[in-house]
Amino acid sequence: MFDHISIGVKSIERSRQFYDAILSPLGYERLSNFDVQSGYGAERPSFWVMQVERPVIPDMKSGLHFCFVAPSEEAVDAFYNAAIASGAEDNGPPGIRPDYGQFYYAAFAIDPDGYRLEAYFHKPEL
């Protein structure tokens, strides 16, 4: 449905360090770099981070969050650990989310700009 999505951040350097660390375990990397923006993806940039004058004000009740597909449970765990180590706020440790389904393995964090992030792996159905 989407070709790409962009988020505004206060500091591109801080965000580059953060997103480099948390997206790498999921198989995504920084593929594009400009002065105040970077694009991440597996084959082409589809998640853009850019330094802007007025980033969106964090609002935990807005419903806004970004979910990244993970290739494994271990990748979800590594995403979460990298996020916490890089200054994210815990918003739910790795594990099955029964409310979403018995095969829904995910972890949640809040980035330094207040964006709610998720890494998700669909466990194989036996």
Side-chain angles (χ1 to χ4, degrees):
M1 177 184 293
F2 297 111
D3 179 68
H4 66 276
I5 190 159
S6 303
I7 62 170
V9 298
K10 294 175 189 168
S11 166
I12 191 63
E13 286 308 318
R14 178 185 69 187
S15 293
R16 283 176 178 152
Q17 290 176 9
F18 180 81
Y19 284 100
D20 286 356
I22 71 160
L23 294 178
S24 177
L26 304 178
Y28 308 121
E29 61 183 313
R30 188 179 346 152
L31 298 174
S32 187
N33 231 11
F34 297 105
D35 187 32
V36 294
Q37 64 183 339
S38 293
Y40 292 85
E43 297 176 14
R44 65 176 186 74
S46 57
F47 178 70
W48 289 89
V49 178
M50 60 185 61
Q51 185 172 313
V52 296
E53 265 186 58
R54 296 184 308 175
V56 172
I57 297 169
D59 181 352
M60 289 297 292
K61 297 183 180 190
S62 72
L64 176 66
H65 88 280
F66 301 97
C67 179
F68 299 100
V69 175
S72 66
E73 289 178 54
E74 294 79 16
V76 171
D77 297 347
F79 158 90
Y80 178 81
N81 292 332
I84 299 304
S86 298
E89 182 181 334
D90 172 30
N91 200 28
I96 293 291
R97 298 296 190 256
D99 291 352
Y100 303 151
Q102 63 181 333
F103 304 104
Y104 198 103
Y105 190 88
F108 303 85
I110 301 170
D111 88 348
D113 285 284
Y115 289 105
R116 296 178 332 144
L117 308 173
E118 174 183 357
Y120 155 75
F121 173 67
H122 185 87
K123 291 176 61 81
E125 299 179 24
L126 303 176

